[in-house]
Amino acid sequence: MEYRRAAIPAVAGGLMVTLLLWWAGASAEALRLEGANDVLGFAAVADLQRWLLPWAYEPSGTAGGYVDGTGASRYLDLHHTAIQIRFAAVFVLYTAGALLLIRRLPAERGRTWAALLALWAWGLVAATLAVTVSAPWLIAAGGHGSYRFLPQMASASSAGRQIAVPVALATAAWTVFVARLALKGTEPQPRENVPARPAVLAATTGTAVVAISLVVLSYHSNAASLQTAFTGNGRFGEPGDLLRQWLLLGAWSGPAGAPLGDWLLYRLGDVLLLAVVWCTLRWLPGLLTRVSVPAMAAGGVCAIVLGLLAAQALRMAQDGTGTSTGLLNVASGLGEGVTAALLWGVLAGVAATVTLRVAGGRTAAPSA
């Protein structure tokens, strides 16, 4: 797909995700209105505030500490700067990723659902990266940026991911709609002709890379060693929380004190994640207009994010309750692991691409 055609839906999607997140942040003020607790309940209001406040332009009077009359209001400009950087980063990151995905995975007949899912996952990645990029300014706005900076960075960069999940889905639908309009009247885009055996080998290699994080590093003893191995003194002496966030896709231990059947049932989420990653990497080369390292790396990131969402939805179904407060509490795990998905998705995509080329997966010419 040409750049000029792909740029239109990419920019439209970037504007949409920015506006929706801005609207979500502005809606946080409504939760402090009189009667909100009576209508929604104290627990639901607290959960929604935690989801929305990371995108709010004005800080919370109780949580931010900017307008408490103690002189901390001088940091208010820093908070505004952080949120401005956050929204600008969302727009730039989503637009850049959507441009690559739409060019290599056009939203035409036979590829629409694949493009929708990829853009949904990328919207969540863009929101998470934007929060991470703007986190140093937000930490400085709190007035204590020199205290345990890396643990603060880990905590700040994981905020606001829950509301980004539905926002990214709505943005993906809008982007696909605009992309379909941009493709109207054009010829079908070519597909890469990938033999089955190299595609299977590439998917297996990429999934094995992801399993290093999900199975090996995420085991509780290994994760604990990773978090405590580099602890030292000073501002950057405690990188353990940040390392866990960027390296671990899950957390698991043996079935100590729990029935084996219940433990296996709960581990189905991890199996589902690996299955989604394998299937995506198996089918992705045949959906792309051209197999390239950037496209496969982006596809690997999207595959892990989709796998994480599928696993989290399964665990929500296992742990969910019928009340709205219980549902919000269970849904608090949505969007976890996206930062680690970025690292391991790139590695998995590159490994799959190398395996595909070594195995002769691009010997045939692209087919229309």
Side-chain angles (χ1 to χ4, degrees), residues 51-216:
W51 294 8
L52 298 178
L53 282 177
W55 301 101
Y57 190 74
E58 294 296 336
S60 169
T62 56
Y66 304 98
V67 289
D68 55 1
T70 62
S73 59
R74 64 183 181 275
Y75 297 110
L76 185 60
D77 289 342
L78 267 178
H79 179 90
H80 290 165
T81 300
I83 300 302
Q84 290 166 2
I85 293 172
R86 183 164 294 183
F87 286 125
V90 165
F91 173 78
V92 171
L93 290 167
Y94 184 88
T95 301
L99 182 62
L100 172 63
L101 290 172
I102 293 170
R103 285 197 70 231
R104 294 289 177 239
L105 191 62
E108 59 186 11
R109 185 181 297 274
R111 290 165 161 167
T112 302
W113 282 105
L116 176 66
L117 292 174
L119 289 169
W120 181 22
W122 183 255
L124 185 54
V125 171
T128 303
L129 282 177
V131 171
T132 303
V133 168
S134 59
W137 282 268
L138 209 61
I139 293 170
H144 43 76
S146 62
Y147 175 70
R148 302 183 73 231
F149 177 78
L150 291 182
Q152 286 190 84
M153 185 75 179
S155 177
S157 61
S158 63
R161 64 185 187 276
Q162 297 92 347
I163 198 63
V165 175
V167 166
L169 180 58
T171 302
W174 166 251
T175 307
V176 167
F177 173 74
V178 177
R180 291 294 297 266
L181 294 180
L183 283 170
K184 186 171 291 187
T186 61
E187 295 293 328
Q189 302 296 307
R191 291 173 181 255
E192 192 80 27
N193 194 351
V194 181
R197 183 175 177 274
V200 170
L201 288 175
T204 304
T205 303
T207 306
V209 172
V210 177
I212 294 175
S213 171
L214 186 65
V215 178
V216 179

